[in-house]
Amino acid sequence: MKAETVNPLAFVDDELRDLRVRGLWRWPRLLEGPQEPVARYDGREVINLCSNNYLGLATHPALKAGALLAIATYGVGSGAVRTIAGNMAIHQTLEGELAAFKRTEAALLFQSGFTANAGTVAALLGPDDVIVSDELNHASIIDGCRLSGAQKKIFPHKDVGAARRMLSESRGARRVLLITDGVFSMDGDIAPLPALVEAAEGHGALMMVDDAHASGVVGRDGRGTVDHFGVHGRVHIQVGTLSKAFAGLGGYVAGTRSLIDLLMHRARPLLFSTSHPPAVAASALAAVRVVQAQPELISRLWENTRVFKEGLRRLRFDTGMSETPITPVIVGDEARAMALSDRLFEEGVFALSIAFPTVPRGRARVRTIVTAAHTATHLEAALEAFARAGRAVGVI
Ligand SMILES: Cc1ncc(COP(=O)(O)O)c(C=O)c1O
């Protein structure tokens, strides 16, 4: 007798249907051209307030020239994982300059900021250990914690007292890691790093900061929150990304020589995934140099941030806890946040709505990031669009 045929993929359609029913089905807008302050998405020229291209380097001539030269010289691929045959001179040069930039002994490249966080946490911590983590830390930190098998203790956002209590309760553990984002990606606020560092030191814990949104943005020449707060040498593990202000792709860990040496032997993304193509490393190298040679880019980023944030607040939008170029417009209701984003797009501004589970329920928002490349005219036009759209959907 022939067995009844079952479609093992039926659940896929079920889950998609469920997403549609709940209004959660999305397909990202299509970028048709370069990542610029005014860009073409879905066939429409819009003021782009969605990218992490903080300094406008995605189209910078020096980065493009670096990538092209690397292709001409070395070809397009590294050919292997780092630890087999894919360890290229350009990788090591970039690591040297990243370490100097971060004022650490050494740095190690990862394929992304995501794998830098997840791979590092999972390499250093295990089931006998405890990780004390801010509740708003990035998904890559959360995944790293899961992969490590360590016990997780999650403290309320920026609540140093709670973190300290959790560290005290973890005294019996083999190792304890206190971990925070430097700049929180959905709210744009900055971690209370000096107090966290003190708490970690008081309990003999490792201190790790994810400066994905701080590198190239915060601190002198964009060196990140460790520099911003003057806590050099007191944060054991600094993660940065090359995918945001540095405009390409990749992540890195900066720390002591021995930490980096151990990660080279233990971090699974390094051991089991191919290293950067030379062009990607070369454009990142150019970015590190441009960031330090052209400090006016960071000044412009912050001036644009000030103008835009003040404009939003003048219009009586709620910009939450933001202290950086990441400026959320808190709406609360998910459908209304989506309506605001849609209306803004019609008005010529691309600013995406973000809802649960990326942010807590009832805290849906339209998230904006201005860049150094936006002009005063762009910002003025964007604020006018926000005023019209905000009134139209009843947010202001
Ligand atoms: C706080 C934070 N950490 C890490 C990452 C991951 O970085 P990447 O895009 O380089 O993987 C992101 C962004 O996506 C982020 O916002």
Side-chain angles (χ1 to χ4, degrees):
M1 201 171 73
K2 195 168 170 251
E4 199 181 321
T5 50
V6 177
N7 177 7
L9 272 178
F11 76 95
V12 172
D13 291 325
D14 292 345
E15 290 193 14
L16 284 172
R17 202 172 308 113
D18 180 56
L19 285 175
R20 283 200 173 89
V21 167
R22 294 194 288 141
L24 296 176
W25 195 93
R26 299 271 181 294
W27 196 259
R29 292 196 188 279
L30 184 66
L31 173 58
E32 298 161 296
Q35 179 59 262
E36 289 185 320
V38 174
R40 192 172 183 82
Y41 281 92
D42 286 352
R44 198 178 181 125
E45 292 279 322
V46 286
I47 298 170
N48 181 6
L49 297 180
C50 279
S51 90
N52 300 310
N53 182 24
Y54 286 104
L55 302 174
L57 299 188
T59 48
H60 192 287
L63 275 72
K64 292 203 260 187
L68 288 169
L69 181 62
I71 289 175
T73 313
Y74 304 110
V76 296
S78 74
V81 302
R82 195 79 188 273
T83 49
I84 295 183
N87 180 34
M88 303 181 82
I90 185 99
H91 298 144
Q92 297 198 174
T93 304
L94 175 56
E95 287 170 342
E97 296 207 14
L98 284 169
F101 180 64
K102 288 284 179 175
R103 305 274 195 261
T104 57
E105 285 176 14
L108 186 64
L109 280 175
F110 282 75
Q111 296 87 348
S112 69
F114 197 107
T115 60
N117 272 329
T120 299
V121 172
L124 300 178
L125 285 295
D128 297 332
D129 305 325
V130 174
I131 299 171
V132 178
S133 177
D134 188 291
E135 66 178 342
L136 295 190
N137 278 346
H138 189 255
S140 52
I141 292 177
I142 296 169
D143 283 12
C145 295
R146 288 178 184 155
L147 283 169
S148 74
Q151 188 194 344
K152 296 179 286 289
K153 294 178 190 270
I154 311 298
F155 61 89
H157 186 46
K158 300 213 291 195
D159 186 340
V160 180
R164 216 176 274 123
R165 277 193 298 284
M166 291 172 180
L167 290 169
S168 300
E169 290 159 12
S170 308
R171 285 196 192 279
R174 184 185 64 153
R175 285 174 209 149
V176 181
L177 172 72
L178 178 55
I179 185 163
T180 185
D181 280 9
V183 169
F184 289 87
S185 55
M186 293 299 138
D187 289 277
D189 54 336
I190 300 178
L193 200 55
L196 289 173
V197 164
E198 230 180 275
E201 287 172 348
H203 294 83
L206 285 163
M207 182 76 226
M208 175 166 169
V209 64
D210 170 11
D211 259 350
H213 285 280
S215 302
V217 176
V218 171
R220 285 168 305 160
D221 287 341
R223 288 192 165 79
T225 54
V226 170
D227 188 84
H228 174 71
F229 287 115
V231 288
H232 286 287
R234 298 173 68 192
V235 172
H236 305 100
I237 307 157
Q238 296 183 55
V239 164
T241 177
L242 303 169
S243 328
K244 301 186 191 297
F246 289 22
L249 182 71
Y252 57 93
V253 173
T256 62
R257 180 75 256 167
S258 52
L259 171 79
I260 297 312
D261 287 357
L262 185 68
L263 289 175
M264 183 64 114
H265 290 81
R266 293 273 163 78
R268 290 170 68 83
L270 274 174
L271 301 176
F272 297 107
S273 185
T274 298
S275 57
H276 275 102
V280 175
S283 76
L285 183 58
V288 178
R289 292 172 181 172
V290 166
V291 166
Q292 294 171 86
Q294 298 184 18
E296 66 276 12
L297 290 174
I298 295 178
S299 308
R300 212 177 304 140
L301 170 66
W302 281 93
E303 176 57 13
N304 282 351
T305 297
R306 186 190 64 75
V307 167
F308 193 64
K309 220 186 277 288
E310 278 179 13
L312 287 173
R313 288 176 181 158
R314 212 176 311 117
L315 289 168
R316 306 211 170 285
F317 284 109
D318 174 4
T319 56
M321 311 181 268
S322 171
E323 306 168 77
T324 67
I326 299 173
T327 307
V329 170
I330 311 283
V331 174
D333 178 67
E334 302 190 355
R336 186 169 289 177
M338 214 185 291
L340 177 60
S341 174
D342 288 346
R343 184 63 189 244
L344 281 166
F345 197 74
E346 284 167 27
E347 297 274 354
V349 171
F350 183 24
L352 205 64
S353 64
I354 314 269
F356 180 81
T358 310
V359 295
R361 268 191 215 288
R363 298 289 292 164
R365 64 202 59 191
V366 165
R367 176 174 176 262
T368 69
I369 299 182
V370 294
T371 71
H374 286 96
T375 64
T377 313
H378 296 147
L379 299 184
E380 221 169 277
L383 286 168
E384 282 166 14
F386 260 96
R388 286 192 298 272
R391 287 188 196 110
V393 302
V395 176
I396 51 170

